[in-house]
Amino acid sequence: MSTNGARTPWSRRYRNASYELNLRLTHGSFRLRIADLDKKLVNAFTRFPSNTTTCSGLVSVAGQAPIVNGSGAGSYAGISGSFDLTVSIDEVDAKTGCTASSKFLNQAVVITGWGTVSHS
């Protein structure tokens, strides 16, 4: 496991060094602060895999992700608020070792939730 975040694709694709998730949408973008979700994912992976026969499992955590102040661009300029998100990572790891530090073969990351936002 990484010492500064959750495992591989979540780490590389969904967060940066500031623990922010950048949402690039059709009419602009904004960022969410996901440090608390990242910590929860790291902790959840200490109990992975859930099925040692198949070396696979699902890790799911929930928490609040506030919008990063001043991060809105395009139609989202001036946006503020937060989202209640659930992050689920379904993963199949290599059978060698079958531990949280094993190489993964496939992974699906699904982020769902809702939020309350306003524009200034």
Side-chain angles (χ1 to χ4, degrees), residues 1-3 5-7 38-50 52 58-61 89 91 93 98-102:
M1 291 198 62
S2 163
T3 57
R7 297 180 61 183
D38 189 71
K39 287 178 190 174
K40 288 180 179 182
L41 278 169
V42 169
N43 185 47
F45 266 107
T46 63
R47 297 177 300 281
F48 187 88
S50 54
T52 55
L58 172 69
V59 171
S60 188
V61 300
I89 300 178
E91 185 170 296
D93 286 350
C98 196
T99 67
S101 60
S102 298

Side-chain angles (χ1 to χ4, degrees), residues 21-80:
L21 175 65
N22 189 26
L23 299 174
R24 293 182 192 156
L25 307 169
T26 303
H27 299 285
S29 64
F30 61 94
R31 294 188 314 273
L32 299 176
R33 190 168 324 284
I34 58 167
D36 290 341
L37 283 169
D38 189 71
K39 287 178 190 174
K40 288 180 179 182
L41 278 169
V42 169
N43 185 47
F45 266 107
T46 63
R47 297 177 300 281
F48 187 88
S50 54
N51 184 329
T52 55
T53 302
T54 62
C55 209
S56 64
L58 172 69
V59 171
S60 188
V61 300
Q64 194 170 71
I67 296 170
V68 176
N69 289 336
S71 69
S75 295
Y76 304 101
I79 194 172
S80 62

Side-chain angles (χ1 to χ4, degrees), residues 6 10 12 31 70 83 89 96:
W10 166 264
R12 287 194 305 254
R31 294 188 314 273
F83 286 81
I89 300 178
T96 309

